[in-house]
Amino acid sequence: MRNSQVLYQATQEQFFSDVQAGRILEKMEFEAQNQQLAPSESEKKSWRNNAPAIKELLEKSKVRGAYVVFEYLLPRSTKRVDCMLFGEDAKGAKNVLHIELKQWSNETVHDTQTAANFEIKEDELQALTGGELRVVAHPSQQARGYNGYLSDFLEVIQSGEVKIRGCSYCYNYLRHLPGGESTLYASQFRKLQEECRTYAKDETSLLAEEISWLFDGGNGQTVFETVMNSDIRQSKKLLDSVGNMFTEGMPKEFHLLEDQIPARNEILDKARKLVNQTKKQIIIVHGGPGTGKTVIALDVLSELARSCYTSTNGKRHRYNVHYATKSASLIGAITRNMPPGHPVRNVITNLQEFNPRLCSPGGIDVLLVDEAHRIEDYFSEGKGKFRQKVRNVSQIDGLIMAARVLVVFIDDKQAIRKNEIGNTGMVREAASRNGADISEVTLSSQFRCNGSDNYLDWIDQVLYNRPVTVRVDRDEYALRFFDSPDEMYRQLLRHQKEGYSARLTAGFCWPWSDHLDPVTGSLVRDVVIDDFAMPWETHYDIKGNPPTGYVRYYEWAYVPNGINQIGCIYTAQGFEFDYCGVIIANDLIYKSSDDSLVTNASACQDPTLKNKQTGKVYPGYDEYVRNIYRVLLSRGIKGTYVYCCDSNVRDYLKRKLSINK
């Protein structure tokens, strides 16, 4: 059984034969080509070198009947595990061992303090990778992250049917040196080593012993097929489990992977050094949909909220750390599982709280701004028609004034309205204007859309009228077009009944009623398409509890009855669902003369994009509409369902997908 989640799979006997005949690299390159991958020369070199190291381990272990896999694709991710072994022990228990393989030598690994004058961190060091010295995660941290991730997603592991273990193997690296133990085994990494051990070249026999007792029962191919056929169901979702992140004594809820770890450590490093910093510190964390910006922000908030630092006068202080976002929905989702009176509730707040009229300059140690692309031009006071801008200082300048360390999590392609001006250039200019030091980190690994970079690339190419150069396969991501919104909605309802999260969204091309239906007392069904009619999220001007079966607008994304209403961009942004339905309204239509998608201002009902009195759209309208659909089409974890009001748009999108040819 060939499996598209791996680049190489074989019985132990076949694997030995392939190594001896020099066929491993050839087979992996062939499979990579089938999966539209373009491995670098350094990747191919590691594949060539890794295989003999694993063969040596299996020979030393004396096991027979293990199953060998290289480059296993993590569920709903773009990341791959170097090697996995499958089999049973002597008692018939099913086991999996995943191994992070490193070609590092002792000369290419340094602790961060020696290499770059950084503070020593428990899970980070510097290593020569890709031809240059880089800050990287400790191999045990990588293995621990993969272990937690696989345990969270694979049902056969969650149920205990299959046991999983993880380790790292640095087969060119020596643990024991004449002067003592080497860098990877320094004291600050002891806890990591206890959880997921890193084996060195002079510990090959110890790793072989572990392999021996895990797999001496053979039957590896059966275990492999059990794991590959496992249901994939995430046991922990961020917004359901966030309360535990701030509870003393709870195990770590989420395991950061790959580029998320250096991003987290960059923030913590600045926080730990703030006593000696005379200048403001700004960190920009760039990341597209599903790269984990909110996970990192909350992980850092959890870490600092229960940490202290020593000031110059020798006193210990709790970090004054805050998490801020413009989204009331996101704030509600984060705090909903925290008990009343939980102290962290008070530090998860709206951006308006940092108005200089309300917040003393420099009073906050670390301010984490999520969804920073929603930063506005100015602060405002009051609500509804009484809301007024405070023009004495721009919002970004006020945020910089408020904090000693400001962290902005941003995606420049999520700007969706004229007064939300957050972007990288603006932050850089404000940093310079305020004399602040600035550093930037980019998150490239995404963990949404079933890990399909091809799908996200396809969205960018087709929405912004670029040449379509990628292919989205059916097995890669569940992208499905519907001929009616009712049929699409019924499929989403079925998914929710099956235990998945599902929501229906649409472009803002129907009015949003601020009153109840005078006859039925229910919400007005504003979104009408032929025989299909549904209400938007409950308008904030509707007082009291929503009618039975509906939720408040800020609850739409996370309270189950939200499935009974259609969400717009302002309630969907920042959230993810297992399945997301998107109604592409008539604000995006097909232009046959140049075979492209164009925006249509006449269909717009969004008062932040179109002046009601004049009927004219505000500057930037075209880009905002494209950005809005980019956000909506990237909310789905397992699948995205699409209905197009303009059937020509549907036909155009299908034509741009090879799966529909």
Side-chain angles (χ1 to χ4, degrees):
M1 178 188 72
R2 308 310 300 173
N3 193 288
S4 61
Q5 280 183 265
V6 304
L7 294 190
Y8 178 87
Q9 62 181 82
T11 62
Q12 182 177 336
E13 182 181 13
Q14 181 63 52
F15 169 64
F16 281 10
S17 175
D18 286 342
V19 174
Q20 289 167 345
R23 291 190 295 260
I24 295 290
L25 180 59
E26 177 187 348
K27 287 188 172 184
M28 292 183 72
E29 285 184 303
F30 179 79
E31 188 59 35
Q33 185 176 11
N34 287 341
Q35 297 185 30
Q36 300 182 74
L37 301 175
S40 65
E41 290 303 315
S42 62
E43 286 178 298
K44 288 188 279 189
K45 179 182 176 182
S46 70
W47 296 349
R48 186 186 298 111
N49 295 336
N50 287 345
I54 294 298
K55 179 175 180 289
E56 180 189 8
L57 276 173
L58 289 169
E59 288 173 332
K60 282 181 177 288
S61 72
K62 295 183 169 48
V63 300
R64 296 289 183 269
Y67 202 78
V68 183
V69 162
F70 287 104
E71 297 295 318
Y72 166 82
L73 181 67
L74 291 172
R76 302 180 192 167
S77 169
T78 56
K79 290 301 174 185
R80 294 179 179 271
V81 178
D82 290 338
C83 177
M84 297 179 76
L85 302 177
F86 301 80
E88 295 181 354
D89 64 19
K91 296 181 179 180
K94 299 180 177 67
N95 293 306
V96 177
L97 177 68
H98 59 89
I99 308 174
E100 179 68 16
L101 294 164
K102 297 293 184 188
Q103 300 179 78
W104 297 347
S105 66
N106 294 74
E107 293 75 24
T108 61
V109 178
H110 310 273
D111 67 53
T112 51
Q113 187 178 49
T114 301
N117 197 29
F118 291 152
E119 179 175 319
I120 292 177
K121 305 179 182 74
E122 66 170 14
D123 53 8
E124 193 175 272
L125 42 82
Q126 286 212 344
L128 188 66
T129 60
E132 60 180 286
L133 199 62
R134 299 177 181 175
V135 177
V136 296
H138 190 284
S140 288
Q141 168 66 19
Q142 289 184 276
R144 183 175 69 175
Y146 291 147
N147 208 65
Y149 192 91
L150 289 165
S151 299
D152 188 31
F153 277 92
L154 296 179
E155 201 164 79
V156 292
I157 295 175
Q158 296 165 17
S159 67
E161 180 182 353
V162 176
K163 304 294 184 184
I164 189 167
R165 295 172 67 91
C167 70
S168 178
Y169 181 35
C170 299
Y171 50 83
N172 294 323
Y173 188 93
L174 293 174
R175 174 171 183 167
H176 301 288
L177 299 174
E181 289 195 324
S182 52
T183 300
L184 290 180
Y185 300 90
S187 59
Q188 68 266 26
F189 303 130
R190 188 171 296 130
K191 183 179 178 181
L192 278 174
Q193 293 280 10
E194 291 172 356
E195 295 185 51
C196 284
R197 184 167 175 174
T198 290
Y199 292 91
K201 180 179 181 180
D202 47 355
E203 297 181 307
T204 300
S205 296
L206 293 177
L207 179 51
E209 286 178 17
E210 181 172 359
I211 290 172
S212 178
W213 66 261
L214 283 174
F215 304 117
D216 59 357
N219 208 20
Q221 186 163 354
T222 300
V223 178
F224 168 75
E225 291 173 358
T226 298
V227 173
M228 293 300 112
N229 292 326
S230 171
D231 287 340
I232 296 174
R233 189 182 294 267
Q234 190 172 5
S235 64
K236 294 178 185 175
K237 292 190 176 177
L238 174 65
L239 297 177
D240 292 331
S241 305
V242 69
N244 290 338
M245 295 177 72
F246 302 98
T247 302
E248 292 288 348
M250 289 295 292
K252 196 172 183 66
E253 282 290 309
F254 293 90
H255 298 273
L256 303 185
L257 299 177
E258 303 294 336
D259 45 21
Q260 296 174 344
I261 299 168
R264 166 188 177 268
N265 286 346
E266 175 73 13
I267 301 167
L268 293 178
D269 188 58
K270 290 290 191 294
R272 289 165 180 157
K273 293 178 177 176
L274 62 81
V275 173
N276 299 318
Q277 292 168 348
T278 57
K279 298 177 70 175
K280 298 274 188 178
Q281 302 293 316
I282 298 176
I283 304 170
I284 303 176
V285 181
H286 304 273
T291 50
K293 298 185 295 293
T294 299
V295 175
I296 296 170
L298 293 177
D299 184 274
V300 170
L301 179 64
S302 170
E303 176 79 17
L304 293 180
R306 50 188 175 214
S307 300
C308 296
Y309 67 92
T310 304
S311 63
T312 53
N313 61 10
K315 291 185 177 180
R316 297 281 286 169
H317 302 272
R318 284 271 183 184
Y319 278 99
N320 185 358
V321 56
H322 287 250
Y323 169 97
T325 179
K326 184 184 175 183
S327 173
S329 301
L330 189 53
I331 291 171
I334 292 170
T335 58
R336 68 188 172 113
N337 288 330
M338 293 182 183
H342 195 295
V344 176
R345 277 179 170 269
N346 298 325
V347 300
I348 297 175
T349 186
N350 191 283
L351 292 178
Q352 298 298 335
E353 298 293 324
F354 305 97
N355 183 337
R357 289 157 56 98
L358 307 173
C359 182
S360 60
I364 296 165
D365 294 321
V366 181
L367 175 55
L368 306 160
V369 177
D370 204 357
E371 301 281 307
H373 33 268
R374 300 197 65 183
I375 290 175
E376 297 184 344
D377 45 5
Y378 293 97
F379 290 98
S380 60
E381 294 177 353
K383 293 184 178 180
K385 60 184 178 181
F386 301 106
R387 186 169 179 261
Q388 292 185 333
K389 289 184 177 179
V390 181
R391 296 185 179 274
N392 61 319
V393 62
S394 71
Q395 193 167 91
I396 183 61
D397 285 321
L399 295 172
I400 294 173
M401 289 169 59
R404 301 168 70 184
V405 177
L406 174 67
V407 187
V408 295
F409 297 85
I410 198 165
D411 179 358
D412 285 340
K413 288 187 178 179
Q414 287 200 44
I416 56 172
R417 58 202 300 184
K418 67 181 181 66
N419 63 322
E420 293 178 356
I421 62 171
N423 63 74
T424 301
M426 179 205 70
V427 177
R428 289 172 180 160
E429 290 173 6
S432 176
R433 188 166 59 244
N434 288 273
D437 286 339
I438 190 167
S439 57
E440 303 187 33
V441 182
T442 298
L443 306 172
S444 57
S445 305
Q446 66 94 7
F447 299 87
R448 195 182 292 158
C449 301
N450 215 28
S452 174
D453 279 345
N454 283 337
Y455 172 64
L456 290 178
D457 288 342
W458 179 81
I459 291 175
D460 281 347
Q461 291 170 357
V462 77
L463 283 180
Y464 300 94
N465 291 325
R466 299 170 187 156
V468 176
T469 60
V470 295
R471 185 182 75 207
V472 183
D473 293 325
R474 291 185 185 277
D475 293 339
E476 189 174 1
Y477 187 64
L479 175 62
R480 181 178 172 188
F481 293 89
F482 287 79
D483 294 327
S484 80
D486 185 64
E487 180 189 2
M488 180 169 71
Y489 178 57
R490 284 188 275 111
Q491 182 60 54
L492 292 170
L493 284 173
R494 283 193 286 270
H495 284 313
Q496 178 143 310
K497 289 178 181 177
E498 294 166 349
Y500 297 103
S501 60
R503 288 295 184 274
L504 179 59
T505 66
F508 201 159
C509 291
W510 293 268
W512 186 26
S513 294
D514 60 1
H515 58 275
L516 299 178
D517 187 304
V519 177
T520 64
S522 187
L523 296 179
V524 178
R525 297 187 175 188
D526 287 314
V527 182
V528 179
I529 305 171
D530 298 327
D531 296 332
F532 174 82
M534 275 186 70
W536 286 114
E537 324 96 314
T538 308
H539 199 286
Y540 52 73
D541 280 343
I542 295 177
K543 306 302 180 186
N545 292 325
T548 302
Y550 300 115
V551 298
R552 298 175 179 85
Y553 75 93
Y554 57 83
E555 299 173 320
W556 171 84
Y558 56 88
V559 174
N561 277 344
I563 190 69
N564 299 324
Q565 297 166 264
I566 296 177
C568 73
I569 181 63
Y570 304 117
T571 45
Q573 191 172 33
F575 291 93
E576 61 184 17
F577 315 101
D578 290 319
Y579 293 92
C580 184
V582 182
I583 296 173
I584 298 180
N586 283 324
D587 53 352
L588 192 65
I589 58 176
Y590 174 70
K591 185 178 179 181
S592 60
S593 60
D594 56 4
D595 192 35
S596 65
L597 297 178
V598 298
T599 55
N600 173 28
S602 65
C604 179
Q605 293 285 335
D606 187 343
T608 70
L609 299 182
K610 184 177 181 180
N611 188 301
K612 283 187 175 181
Q613 281 69 43
T614 66
K616 293 182 178 180
V617 294
Y618 297 115
Y621 173 79
D622 181 81
E623 183 177 3
Y624 291 141
V625 172
R626 297 180 194 275
N627 288 354
I628 285 168
Y629 283 115
R630 176 180 179 267
V631 173
L632 295 181
L633 289 166
S634 61
R635 300 300 94 189
I637 298 171
K638 296 175 69 68
T640 296
Y641 297 158
V642 181
Y643 170 80
C644 303
C645 291
D646 178 356
S647 60
N648 292 319
V649 172
R650 176 198 62 203
D651 295 341
Y652 174 78
L653 295 177
K654 283 187 173 184
R655 181 157 47 87
K656 293 295 182 178
L657 278 171
S658 63
I659 63 171
N660 293 289
K661 289 182 179 179

